[in-house]
Amino acid sequence: MPENNTKIIKHTITRFLARREHSKSELLKKLAERDFDIELCRQWIDKFSESDIQSDLRFAESLIRGRVNKGVGEVRILKELKDHKIDNDFIRQAMQELQIDWFELASKVFIKRFSGQVATDWKAKQKQQRFMYFRGFSHEQISYAFDSVEK
């Protein structure tokens, strides 16, 4: 039985990684949902990681790239990476390699969502700011987006 379980775990991990990058914690969670032995799953995930078939760094880069393309800000992306238990060094390395201008991204998202029009009344402006905060932009990035449109 354990030999059969090992093959199933290995095959399942391979299938997951063939579709897209996964973090170690995400793989472990998905395997645990299938009632596999957690320790055996950890061992196999580590083997895949040592062979560079699974990489938290590649996962981080992939997640960041995908979220940026959807107009998600730095704060929200960082939280999502933390939720996936990605190491801070990998996060820093992925952010450096991708060299994203978060201020310009905030400006582009604002222009796309609000047609480049900063609201004139206080309530509507607050609604615009809440949208930008929800998207994961910092106060400074939101201010930059508003200022770049008003000029």
Side-chain angles (χ1 to χ4, degrees), residues 22-39:
H22 285 71
S23 67
K24 285 182 180 179
S25 67
E26 185 179 23
L27 284 173
L28 192 60
K29 180 183 172 202
K30 285 183 173 187
L31 293 168
E33 288 171 354
R34 294 169 185 243
D35 293 327
F36 290 125
D37 176 45
I38 297 296
E39 198 49 47

Side-chain angles (χ1 to χ4, degrees), residues 25-116:
S25 67
E26 185 179 23
L27 284 173
L28 192 60
K29 180 183 172 202
K30 285 183 173 187
L31 293 168
E33 288 171 354
R34 294 169 185 243
D35 293 327
F36 290 125
D37 176 45
I38 297 296
E39 198 49 47
L40 192 58
C41 292
R42 275 195 183 101
Q43 291 172 8
W44 272 105
I45 292 170
D46 287 343
K47 286 179 185 179
F48 275 77
S49 184
E50 289 166 9
S51 302
D52 202 36
I53 297 168
Q54 185 282 330
S55 167
D56 277 352
L57 176 60
R58 279 196 316 266
F59 170 79
E61 290 171 347
S62 174
L63 186 137
I64 294 166
R65 223 179 286 107
R67 296 304 183 265
V68 165
N69 289 338
K70 289 183 177 182
V72 176
E74 182 179 22
V75 175
R76 192 162 152 194
I77 291 172
L78 289 174
K79 183 192 178 316
E80 192 170 348
L81 289 168
K82 292 287 184 195
D83 290 346
H84 281 278
K85 297 176 178 64
I86 302 299
D87 187 65
N88 285 335
D89 292 337
F90 288 149
I91 294 172
R92 225 181 340 272
Q93 189 177 344
M95 290 288 200
Q96 282 177 340
E97 286 178 16
L98 295 173
Q99 297 181 344
I100 298 153
D101 186 341
W102 298 105
F103 291 91
E104 283 304 312
L105 180 63
S107 186
K108 286 177 185 174
V109 168
F110 183 82
I111 290 168
K112 182 176 180 184
R113 175 68 173 88
F114 298 107
S115 304

